[in-house]
Amino acid sequence: RDMIDYVLEVTGQRNLTYIGHSQGTCLMFCILSGDVDKEWHKKINLFIALAPAVFVSNQQSKLLTYVSKMKPERLSQMFGVRSFLANNFAAANVFGPSLVVKHPKSTLYFTQLAFKALTGWNNDNFPMDRVPVLMAQMPGGSSVQVIAQWTQAVRSGRFCMYDYGVEKNKELYGSEEPPDYNLKNISAPIALFYGGLDKLSTTTDVERLLSQIEPVYKQCIPEYAHQDFIWGMDAHQQIFGKIIELARKHSGLGAGVVVEEGEAEGRKKEGEKDEATYTSTSWVEFS
């Protein structure tokens, strides 16, 4: 939230376009669902959700499935109480820069195995020449408590606040169970993109999300896995153009109507405006 406020302060804009990928979408869904007085709704002219990770009970990630069977205490024993797969676990650090730079094919093979198990993989759409750069940064890491909450979401099938146990839940929430995030409270315009090969944000779970929100645009790309939205070689053809079009359209404008796949081009021609009429837009992106 502080980052969004910072962007608005520096740019002098009243609102911005938020682009989230995976966990970055979850953060914004949490913020907006709890925004009863609509303060944050006023700051988001468009929320673009790529591979949204909200409901995950049908996920097929081997790693998340394995970790979800552990209790938070066990996770803390294994990974400590702070970071989970922090940046010092990146491939370049674990296997050495020489493997990543001098043996990109070997690194690609390792990457393929890892992401097949974690999120799904589209080998034909991976930029092999970017392996050294990507593997020097991945995985980026998270906190152990965030991972613990993901494991709770897998087991419970809910999109809810952190479960501290009965006693602390009563103290914090006033109930034995943590409350659900109220997705129906969201009125900010949302554009949602998801993939048919995604093992983390499966189509079944995304369709459940779609039943509780009213996006202004939605698109399923059957051949896309989880990482294709940010790494895919054809992402500029599949989604980036539409993202820019939607961001321009919603700069300073309210929510539009739902646009199904195949109708997008027709909608553009119906309500098309001269590019010069669009106001300048601030962007913030989280993944």
Side-chain angles (χ1 to χ4, degrees), residues 32-53:
L32 294 177
S33 64
D35 185 28
V36 179
D37 59 6
K38 304 298 181 182
E39 174 190 354
W40 282 91
H41 281 70
K42 297 172 186 176
K43 298 179 181 182
I44 307 298
N45 59 50
L46 178 65
F47 168 23
I48 297 174
L50 308 177

Side-chain angles (χ1 to χ4, degrees), residues 158-162 169 172-175 177-182:
R158 299 169 60 200
F159 181 49
C160 62
M161 298 181 186
Y162 190 82
N169 285 345
L172 294 174
Y173 310 129
S175 60
E177 295 286 333
D180 289 326
Y181 289 106
N182 185 10

Side-chain angles (χ1 to χ4, degrees), residues 122-137:
N122 182 358
N123 193 57
D124 295 333
N125 204 27
F126 185 81
M128 185 173 172
D129 61 327
R130 303 300 291 168
V131 167
V133 175
L134 296 173
M135 291 304 99
Q137 305 296 326

Side-chain angles (χ1 to χ4, degrees), residues 71-90:
K71 293 183 178 180
E73 304 80 50
R74 178 58 177 158
L75 282 171
S76 297
Q77 288 174 357
M78 291 184 66
F79 301 103
V81 295
R82 294 187 178 181
S83 60
F84 178 87
L85 299 185
N87 191 249
N88 59 6
F89 191 79

Side-chain angles (χ1 to χ4, degrees), residues 1-9 16 40 284-286:
R1 299 187 187 205
D2 289 343
M3 295 174 75
I4 291 174
D5 282 338
Y6 177 78
V7 170
L8 294 177
E9 180 182 350
L16 54 75
W40 282 91
V284 61
E285 179 176 0
F286 290 90

Side-chain angles (χ1 to χ4, degrees), residues 62-213:
K62 292 182 180 178
L63 177 60
L64 188 54
T65 298
Y66 174 75
V67 174
S68 68
K69 297 175 183 177
M70 300 181 187
K71 293 183 178 180
E73 304 80 50
R74 178 58 177 158
L75 282 171
S76 297
Q77 288 174 357
M78 291 184 66
F79 301 103
V81 295
R82 294 187 178 181
S83 60
F84 178 87
L85 299 185
N87 191 249
N88 59 6
F89 191 79
N93 295 322
V94 174
F95 299 100
S98 61
L99 173 63
V100 176
V101 177
K102 296 180 182 178
H103 304 284
K105 288 186 178 180
S106 298
T107 305
L108 178 61
Y109 178 70
F110 164 77
T111 304
Q112 182 177 354
L113 289 178
F115 280 101
K116 267 187 177 180
L118 182 60
T119 61
W121 180 258
N122 182 358
N123 193 57
D124 295 333
N125 204 27
F126 185 81
M128 185 173 172
D129 61 327
R130 303 300 291 168
V131 167
V133 175
L134 296 173
M135 291 304 99
Q137 305 296 326
M138 293 294 293
S142 186
S143 75
V144 173
Q145 185 164 329
V146 165
I147 300 304
Q149 187 163 8
W150 281 117
T151 66
Q152 292 176 0
V154 172
R155 293 193 300 268
S156 70
R158 299 169 60 200
F159 181 49
C160 62
M161 298 181 186
Y162 190 82
D163 188 349
Y164 291 94
V166 173
E167 293 306 316
K168 193 166 183 180
N169 285 345
K170 286 181 179 178
E171 178 186 336
L172 294 174
Y173 310 129
S175 60
E176 294 185 359
E177 295 286 333
D180 289 326
Y181 289 106
N182 185 10
L183 292 168
K184 294 188 182 298
N185 186 51
I186 300 176
S187 57
I190 301 171
L192 194 146
F193 299 79
Y194 60 109
L197 298 181
D198 196 330
K199 289 187 176 181
L200 190 57
S201 303
T202 63
T203 54
T204 301
D205 284 331
V206 174
E207 285 165 2
R208 181 182 173 190
L209 169 63
L210 286 169
S211 71
Q212 299 188 42
I213 62 174

